[in-house]
Amino acid sequence: MKFFLKTFGCRVNQVESQAILEQFAARGWEHAASFEEADLCLLNTCTVTHQADKDVEKLIRQISRRNPSARLVLTGCYAAAHAEHIRQFFPKAEIIGKYDLGKKLFGQEDICWTVSGHEGHSRAFIKIQDGCDCFCSYCIVPFARTVKRSKPVPDVLKEIAALAQKGFGEIVLTGINIGNYSCPQSGKDLAALCADIAALEGRFRIRFSSIELQTVTDGVIDAMASRPDRFCNYLHLPLQNGCDGVLKAMNRHYNTEQYAAKVAALRARVAGVSVFADVIAGFPTETEEDFEASYRFIESQKLCGLHVFSYSPRPLTKAAALPQLSPGVIKRRAERLRELDKRLRADFASSLAGTEQEVFVEEHGKHGVSGVTSNFQHVIIENAPADLHGLVRVRITRAEGPACYAQMQ
């Protein structure tokens, strides 16, 4: 039997797909090169934007037209949030929730989302948490992943140890809202989990995926500060907007003063820390004055880079019912933020010139050997041997735009 697996969206989906792929492989299924050849087509879907929905639906139509005899299974956020729409317009598609896949496909109650590697990647990702109940007014994710779950601490530690033993020098902890981690057995939070991770043997480092401001506790910061060899001095700290009025309309649970204070605390306690942020352009209530205030605030924080999203109204969310801004306004604001992002990344790269850094080697491409520093700066290692892997010490010699160049020590 042959299966086709297509993943849309975030890192969490990618980790879940890796776990699913390993389950298929363990049962002797063959990974089909295309959906036309498959007996079963499984789409791990995303619904974070309108475009994500369109991408999923386009592939559903292609499979239905070109391989109508295949079993078509939808899982993930689009499948969870739009079940009625799918039943009406794609009646042959079978919807299976993430935590029912094990039983429905493999006769196993829960596949636990444990991975033994990550196909096509030099770093490994593990899922420690799922679900969100924040209900930001623009976000559909809580409607698709409502139930909060966390992987037990012993399982997390076992998975990390196994990946480290296989030679993965960098392991990323991921989830929908990882700061809400809570061990179902002991109640340990993310900071307590970090203390246990710090005690593991081996040479590897841990990177946190995106984490919400309110959940970056003193304990998490302490872990980063006390074990720079184990925890990357990097945080992706979503901002979404730099205007308090817009943050309130977004139902974000902080203001700009609190965001700035957290960034300052991180910089004071974690040596060389970098802070990146998500920002949404064109939220419905954002006036020109709001946008300018937000832009100035982002500049003042001297962040290291931005992930800019153009606002997209999502069904079920409160913001979708508001009067919407014109596409032209949203596009213009997004373009300005992306230009700011380029400047911030160039400034960050320049700030590292002359410093020593530990780089995790990721790529061996046409531009040579490259990787990322602990604080997530892309580095090209000019004197690296072609077979270089793992964690290496380098000295940054210069920066060109968002990239740094280095020599091995």
Side-chain angles (χ1 to χ4, degrees), residues 16 66 81 130 138 185 268 275-276 286 294 322 340 342 351:
E16 291 169 343
R66 289 152 59 180
D130 199 355
Y138 54 82
Q185 297 171 345
V275 180
F276 291 72
E286 184 186 63
S294 178
L322 298 172
L340 176 57
K342 290 179 183 178
S351 74

Side-chain angles (χ1 to χ4, degrees), residues 60-123:
I60 293 173
R61 293 188 184 96
Q62 289 175 336
I63 293 171
S64 299
R65 184 172 63 252
R66 289 152 59 180
N67 189 359
S69 63
R71 182 183 180 188
L72 175 57
V73 175
L74 307 183
T75 193
C77 291
Y78 169 86
H82 306 292
E84 290 304 317
H85 175 84
I86 294 166
R87 293 187 185 103
Q88 180 179 355
F89 292 97
F90 308 106
K92 291 186 178 180
E94 183 180 353
I95 301 170
I96 303 179
K98 286 281 176 69
Y99 289 88
D100 294 323
L101 277 175
K103 184 177 181 179
K104 295 289 183 68
L105 295 183
F106 310 118
Q108 186 175 331
E109 281 301 319
D110 190 350
I111 59 177
C112 298
W113 308 113
T114 297
V115 299
S116 62
H118 207 83
E119 185 174 314
H121 294 267
S122 53
R123 70 174 68 172

Side-chain angles (χ1 to χ4, degrees), residues 303-318:
L303 300 172
C304 300
L306 306 174
H307 190 175
V308 179
F309 294 87
S310 296
Y311 172 77
S312 175
R314 307 309 297 129
L316 306 176
T317 64
K318 290 184 177 180

